[in-house]
Amino acid sequence: MQRLQGATLSLWSSFTPVPQYAFATLNLKQLKQRMKSVGSIRKITKAMKMVAASKMKQDVQRLENGKHFGIRSIQDLFANETYLQKKQLTFKINKTLLVPITSDKGLCGGINSSIIRETRTVVRQNRNAYKLFLIGEKSLGALQRAFPELLTQAITAIQTPINFINSSSIAHQIQLNVTDDVDQISIIFNQFKNVVQQIVKRVDLLNRKNFIAQFRLVTKYDTAEPEKEFVQNYMYEYYVATAFYHAMLNSLASETSSRMNAMENASKNAGEMLDKLTLEYNKVRQAKITVELCEIISGASAV
């Protein structure tokens, strides 16, 4: 009888780790599910990285082909005009139309937040001295609520790849929003330096009235045909369109390169997380096996 009681006590002691066994089983299921989720995310980010790398190569090539098209041609014309330099015209800037250029999609690092941050910093210096014309869904979502009274118009869902026709259409739409109280247009965009570096740049453009005031003093390139009134307006359209074409090319190349880097970092982080989860999974599984072995040994010794 005494022996039977001891065997009963031994069997009871062997069943005490059962809650730990159930806990380990629960952890195994959770870890396995999380490992599957992280693995799926890793596959997606790797695919997005390859797509972004392919697009980036094309966008950088377009930037290389078009970055010198018309850039500073009008500014160089003014700079080389002797009579215009003697006059040294200066214009008082009371109000500026800010045009921040962001992307329509996310998952591209901090390039959109840097543009939005720069725009907010500039506007908060003197809120009454600025108006906003937004390009891109990200700038609209971030600045529409903060500065509703300054927003004139926004353009989203721009067709890519960017060409001069699209940029000219955007530039023309912006010019329609330049009222008489606006003295200059300022473009804020990401300038593409290399694959890992993009810097925020601001380019200031004259309004039509101030541009024509300067262009009337140009005599070196004056021609009889076409008439000067036509040339003035044509040159101003060309002056604004080329600036926006250059800014859009840089912004798109910066977006795709930043997205490629962001997806590469996301894939790397997912891989590290998957390694840690695998290690934890192996630890829990080993603990489960150890508990089962202890139960078997305890049961055998009790018998």
Side-chain angles (χ1 to χ4, degrees):
M1 185 66 182
Q2 186 67 29
R3 185 177 179 182
L4 181 60
Q5 290 179 353
T8 306
L9 291 174
S10 299
L11 288 173
W12 176 255
S13 62
S14 65
F15 288 123
T16 52
V18 170
Q20 185 178 1
Y21 173 79
F23 180 72
T25 306
L26 183 63
N27 275 348
L28 279 175
K29 291 181 180 179
Q30 291 177 346
L31 287 171
K32 199 168 185 178
Q33 185 177 4
R34 192 173 180 189
M35 287 168 61
K36 186 177 179 181
S37 301
V38 173
S40 300
I41 293 173
R42 187 184 183 186
K43 290 179 182 178
I44 294 172
T45 53
K46 277 188 174 181
M48 291 183 67
K49 175 197 168 184
M50 290 188 289
V51 172
S54 176
K55 289 184 177 181
M56 185 202 68
K57 186 177 180 181
Q58 299 174 11
D59 291 335
V60 171
Q61 186 62 43
R62 291 189 191 94
L63 176 61
E64 290 295 325
N65 295 336
K67 66 180 181 180
H68 298 299
F69 175 71
I71 295 301
R72 296 199 57 81
S73 56
I74 304 298
Q75 291 89 331
D76 292 341
L77 187 149
F78 289 162
N80 294 325
E81 180 60 49
T82 307
Y83 181 68
L84 179 60
Q85 294 301 318
K86 288 181 180 179
K87 285 290 185 179
Q88 294 182 350
L89 294 180
T90 57
F91 304 103
K92 186 177 180 181
I93 307 300
N94 293 320
K95 183 157 288 192
T96 301
L97 179 65
L98 285 180
V99 187
I101 301 177
T102 60
S103 65
D104 290 318
K105 300 177 181 179
L107 299 177
C108 52
I111 59 169
N112 291 324
S113 58
S114 61
I115 294 294
I116 294 167
R117 192 184 308 113
E118 177 68 18
T119 304
R120 285 175 174 170
T121 302
V122 172
V123 172
R124 284 169 179 169
Q125 294 175 359
N126 187 0
R127 197 182 183 103
N128 296 324
Y130 296 98
K131 288 184 176 181
L132 294 175
F133 189 104
L134 307 179
I135 297 179
E137 188 69 39
K138 294 302 177 180
S139 61
L140 178 62
L143 299 174
Q144 183 179 17
R145 183 174 296 180
F147 310 107
E149 75 282 2
L150 304 181
L151 181 61
T152 58
Q153 191 176 346
I155 297 178
T156 60
I158 298 174
Q159 183 179 1
T160 56
I162 294 295
N163 54 38
F164 188 69
I165 297 175
N166 293 345
S167 302
S168 300
S169 300
I170 294 172
H172 179 70
Q173 193 65 34
I174 291 172
Q175 292 174 47
L176 295 178
N177 285 269
V178 178
T179 54
D180 295 336
D181 59 336
V182 175
D183 300 308
Q184 75 173 4
I185 304 170
S186 293
I187 314 172
I188 303 177
F189 63 97
N190 286 291
Q191 185 179 20
F192 180 83
K193 283 293 185 181
N194 50 54
V195 177
V196 296
Q197 184 182 12
Q198 303 87 28
I199 61 173
V200 178
K201 188 174 182 181
R202 178 176 173 178
V203 175
D204 296 328
L205 304 174
L206 298 171
N207 65 354
R208 188 182 295 270
K209 179 181 178 181
N210 295 339
F211 179 87
I212 291 175
Q214 279 197 341
F215 194 82
R216 285 175 178 173
L217 301 177
V218 175
T219 58
K220 186 180 292 186
Y221 301 96
D222 190 17
T223 56
E225 292 182 359
E227 59 274 12
K228 199 166 188 177
E229 292 296 328
F230 175 81
V231 174
Q232 290 173 355
N233 292 302
Y234 172 77
M235 284 296 182
Y236 183 71
E237 296 280 349
Y238 177 72
Y239 163 71
V240 177
T242 51
F244 273 96
Y245 180 55
H246 183 256
M248 295 294 289
L249 286 177
N250 275 276
S251 295
L252 191 58
S254 300
E255 177 190 348
T256 52
S257 62
S258 182
R259 179 172 288 113
M260 185 193 70
N261 293 328
M263 292 301 102
E264 183 178 4
N265 293 332
S267 300
K268 182 180 178 181
N269 294 337
E272 293 176 355
M273 185 179 293
L274 190 58
D275 292 339
K276 292 180 181 179
L277 289 173
T278 303
L279 181 61
E280 186 67 24
Y281 178 82
N282 291 333
K283 287 181 179 180
V284 174
R285 188 181 63 171
Q286 188 64 39
K288 176 187 173 184
I289 295 172
T290 304
V291 170
E292 290 179 350
L293 288 174
C294 290
E295 290 178 356
I296 294 171
I297 294 169
S298 299
S301 62
V303 173

